[in-house]
Amino acid sequence: MIKGLFGNTSLTASLRAGLEETSSTHKAIARRVAGALSSSSSTDFATDLAKAGQKRVQEADLQRDMAELADTQLRYEADAKLLQQAYGRLRTAIRDTRG
């Protein structure tokens, strides 16, 4: 019975795995965004103008990454809330059996 509550196939294990996955995805996207932002802080207008076509692609990539960042943040928050609720139900069940 305990394995069913806390084992690898339990709801809480799935939610914890989801938190870990979204956290690592979030970090990877944040690194890409930070890299893109630091590489775009040039003050050399002539060079920037020459690279205009490449910048459009980078801007599209940055916009996509920002959207993915928002998506992973929402998934993380949803998994965290569901995990909190699952643990709350377990606490309630344990409390009710002792009482």
Side-chain angles (χ1 to χ4, degrees):
M1 180 165 159
I2 296 294
K3 279 189 176 184
L5 293 174
F6 300 105
N8 292 337
T9 59
S10 69
L11 173 64
T12 55
S14 296
L15 291 171
R16 284 192 317 266
L19 283 175
E20 291 172 8
E21 184 270 329
T22 53
S23 179
S24 64
T25 301
H26 193 85
K27 287 176 186 176
I29 296 169
R31 278 193 293 272
R32 284 198 314 261
V33 168
L37 292 176
S38 68
S39 69
S40 69
S41 62
S42 171
T43 57
D44 184 7
F45 183 72
T47 303
D48 288 346
L49 189 58
K51 296 179 182 179
Q54 181 183 1
K55 279 193 158 210
R56 284 189 198 105
V57 171
Q58 288 175 344
E59 287 174 6
D61 289 344
L62 183 60
Q63 288 176 355
R64 184 201 53 190
D65 285 344
M66 293 299 287
E68 287 179 16
L69 204 58
D71 181 61
T72 57
Q73 180 67 30
L74 289 173
R75 285 190 292 136
Y76 184 89
E77 290 173 6
D79 283 347
K81 188 170 187 171
L82 289 171
L83 187 59
Q84 182 182 22
Q85 290 172 353
Y87 283 139
R89 286 191 300 270
L90 285 172
R91 277 192 298 277
T92 300
I94 291 169
R95 198 175 320 126
D96 288 348
T97 59
R98 286 199 260 161

